[in-house]
Amino acid sequence: MAKDAVSLVDQRTQAAREIPIQDGAIRAMDLRQFKTGPDDFGLMTYDPAFMNTASCRSAITFIDGDKGILRYRGYPIEQLAEKCTFLEVAYLILFGELPAAPQLKDWIAEITLHTMLHETTKKFLEGFRYDAHPMGMLASTVAALSTVYPESRHVLDPTVRALQIKRLIGKMPTIAAYTYRHSLGYPYVYPDNDLSYAANFMNMLWKMMEPKYQANPTLARALDILFILHADHEQNCSTNAMRAVGSSQADPFLSTAAACAALSGPLHGGANEEVLKMLDVIGSKDRIPAYIDKVKAGEFKLMGFGHRVYKNYDPRARIIKWAADSVFEITGRNAKLDIALELERIALEDEYFVKRKLYPNVDFYSGIIYQAMGFKPEMFTVLFAIPRTVGWLAQWQEMLCDGEQKIARPRQIYTGEAARDVVPMEQRGVATTPATA
Ligand code: CMC
């Protein structure tokens, strides 16, 4: 009968060992027993960018990249996007089950209780320059909340953790909206706790002199769906940052700020902003083939295309395309959509993209909808960060409660100089390597 093990022979020593396989993985620590002698540290694995390394066990999100499947706690993303609200999904991601009606009512009330920012935090925001990027403002302001809630550092106390989780989910839209109002020089709008999570966010962004902000229900629902699609995505770059920083038992505000920083990069959450810039550069459909030629020549990447895990289709991109229709019925069609659709069509027929299994990802169409709704491209990644905070916090909590986890501390393969002695200044030659290397 087949055994769940792999037999390895170390050709350096002829030592043969059986390494158990569990859940399709071997433990990297089991390789340590392969040594060439007592002074040998033991065999390591080398895996830059974690291409083939599971860093944790997680029960939150399941992705099958070849089949284009995404599930939160077992529920397909398509069903959640169609049948649930964002706060319902947030509850599911954090607690493992969908809430019953009374639980959801309490949960909404608890999050709503935490939507306001301390007045000193508003003053902190005022210190940013008028043209500061909203992601820089968001990450810094989230970090600053660590100083407002010093008790949050007691990360091993479940009651303390639960409070910070509600605070962060409640306050992210408020901070996000304030970064936007700050960039326009508009006064901040206080949260309106009568409104839904998405509608209140729209209120804080766009309310002017009217006594009560009325969110368009179709646009509020579309935003809610986009929040659901972005809520978690297993061990992506920013979640990995959240877990790594959180593993040192840093408080959740500082850990979330680190996750925001990781999200801001153009290869991760910053891609949605880059897609819009790219569509602007392309400008018209007839210029797409020349642009694609440059991508294939390696001059730059096609933003919003490709994914480390999805090698078939990003299921979120499909739902976004569908949500776009409802938005465009209200806002009118975004002219960039035609360029994007044509770009997708041409790319999907091109051998370069087919061979490398490069498909549109979540960021390819989200920016087009956001722009149609009235958001500036600089705000797109902030819109990603609001719902992803739920995933970050769920993964952070899971990490802290996992007895197998410790402070994240990878090994390295040292490639520098062997030991050498410091030479007195007068005997040193001019360095051949640049001082900034
Ligand atoms: N345009 C052109 N070529 C690409 C692209 C692209 N967007 N993405 C990957 N490739 C090529 C890459 O050059 C490589 O080619 P070769 O084998 O000839 O060297 C091959 O495809 C494999 O790519 P990779 O860089 O090894 O793939 P990765 O898993 O390390 O990177 C990625 C994944 C998402 C960072 C990358 O596809 C990319 O940079 N895409 C553009 C940025 C983007 O849209 N990011 C959003 C990702 S989804 C949401 C999120 O995570 O926030």
Side-chain angles (χ1 to χ4, degrees):
M1 194 180 131
K3 206 170 171 189
D4 277 338
V6 61
S7 298
L8 297 178
V9 179
D10 187 339
Q11 298 295 340
R12 301 170 301 177
T13 60
Q14 298 308 314
R17 304 217 188 281
E18 209 168 73
I19 309 280
I21 299 175
Q22 198 186 353
D23 301 321
I26 60 166
R27 283 181 181 264
M29 281 300 284
D30 283 347
L31 298 177
R32 259 310 166 79
Q33 49 191 312
F34 289 101
K35 291 176 182 235
T36 50
D39 290 342
D40 185 354
F41 177 76
L43 195 63
M44 292 191 297
T45 54
Y46 175 58
D47 189 11
F50 301 115
M51 296 290 286
N52 193 37
T53 294
S55 63
C56 63
R57 294 175 171 279
S58 181
I60 301 170
T61 291
F62 173 82
I63 300 175
D64 184 328
D66 291 325
K67 297 196 181 117
I69 292 173
L70 168 61
R71 298 184 199 127
Y72 299 155
R73 301 282 187 185
Y75 293 105
I77 191 68
E78 293 80 4
Q79 289 184 31
L80 294 170
E82 190 190 336
K83 299 184 175 152
C84 299
T85 62
F86 170 67
L87 282 186
E88 236 178 305
V89 172
Y91 185 100
L92 169 73
I93 288 175
L94 282 157
F95 304 110
E97 294 297 338
L98 281 166
Q103 288 169 316
L104 181 61
K105 191 164 165 267
D106 290 350
W107 174 240
I108 292 172
E110 284 174 302
I111 297 298
T112 308
L113 198 69
H114 292 290
T115 49
M116 285 185 77
L117 290 185
H118 195 283
E119 288 296 304
T120 55
T121 311
K122 271 173 56 185
K123 292 208 181 91
F124 177 87
L125 269 160
E126 275 157 25
F128 289 109
R129 288 175 61 110
Y130 69 96
D131 59 352
H133 194 286
M135 268 313 274
M137 287 195 261
L138 181 80
S140 316
T141 311
V142 171
L145 290 184
S146 157
T147 65
V148 182
Y149 305 110
E151 76 279 13
S152 67
R153 72 186 56 170
H154 302 299
V155 296
L156 299 182
D157 182 332
T159 319
V160 171
R161 275 204 308 269
L163 178 57
Q164 315 318 315
I165 287 174
K166 288 175 211 158
R167 277 183 173 145
L168 266 159
I169 298 172
K171 290 181 201 316
M172 281 305 266
T174 316
I175 303 171
Y178 285 12
T179 66
Y180 173 77
R181 304 279 298 197
H182 177 80
S183 65
L184 295 172
Y186 292 166
Y188 304 132
V189 175
Y190 283 104
D192 180 342
N193 287 349
D194 290 343
L195 302 175
S196 72
Y197 193 78
N200 172 48
F201 178 47
M202 293 162 77
N203 156 67
M204 292 186 289
L205 288 165
W206 293 315
K207 181 171 182 288
M208 296 307 280
M209 300 311 289
E210 65 274 37
K212 179 100 181 157
Y213 181 79
Q214 304 288 343
N216 179 299
T218 306
L219 297 185
R221 177 61 187 146
L223 192 57
D224 206 56
I225 290 174
L226 285 158
F227 282 174
I228 292 171
L229 300 184
H230 287 89
D232 192 49
H233 212 233
E234 52 122 298
Q235 305 313 312
N236 55 85
C237 178
S238 55
T239 301
N240 185 54
M242 180 85 187
R243 279 183 175 257
V245 175
S247 76
S248 74
Q249 299 184 2
D251 76 53
F253 297 102
L254 293 171
S255 302
T256 302
C260 285
L263 188 74
S264 72
L267 298 188
H268 189 11
N272 50 18
E273 186 180 337
E274 298 301 318
V275 170
L276 259 274
K277 287 187 200 155
M278 175 184 80
L279 295 176
D280 278 338
V281 168
I282 296 175
S284 59
K285 285 203 261 182
D286 56 307
R287 296 176 55 176
I288 294 173
Y291 193 87
I292 294 226
D293 283 347
K294 287 187 179 167
V295 170
K296 284 158 63 178
E299 282 188 38
F300 36 71
K301 283 186 169 169
L302 194 58
M303 298 315 283
F305 256 70
H307 199 275
R308 172 64 59 79
V309 182
Y310 293 121
K311 299 298 172 196
N312 170 325
Y313 201 87
D314 183 337
R316 301 167 299 173
R318 191 173 284 137
I319 301 169
I320 286 185
K321 258 171 121 174
W322 159 74
D325 292 336
S326 67
V327 169
F328 294 147
E329 268 178 36
I330 309 289
T331 62
R333 198 176 161 87
N334 186 337
K336 295 203 179 71
L337 182 66
D338 293 325
I339 303 176
L341 286 168
E342 183 64 2
L343 188 58
E344 178 184 351
R345 190 190 66 74
I346 293 178
L348 293 186
E349 283 174 1
D350 192 300
E351 206 216 325
Y352 175 95
F353 296 90
V354 175
K355 206 171 98 195
R356 290 170 178 79
K357 300 190 174 175
L358 300 171
Y359 294 86
N361 58 48
V362 69
D363 292 316
F364 191 65
Y365 287 106
S366 62
I368 298 173
I369 308 189
Y370 290 144
Q371 193 178 50
M373 290 173 86
F375 291 104
K376 295 194 299 179
E378 296 79 28
M379 280 298 288
F380 295 172
T381 314
V382 171
L383 295 170
F384 191 154
I386 295 171
R388 183 54 61 86
T389 299
V390 168
W392 290 333
L393 290 166
Q395 301 266 356
W396 166 75
Q397 171 134 276
E398 188 176 60
M399 179 270 304
L400 287 171
C401 298
D402 180 345
E404 277 200 306
Q405 290 291 342
K406 289 170 181 277
I407 186 165
R409 206 305 185 182
R411 297 275 171 184
Q412 65 166 12
I413 296 171
Y414 178 67
T415 60
E417 302 283 352
R420 50 185 177 162
D421 294 321
V422 174
V423 178
M425 183 68 80
E426 58 279 10
Q427 292 172 23
R428 288 180 213 165
V430 177
T432 48
T433 45
T436 51

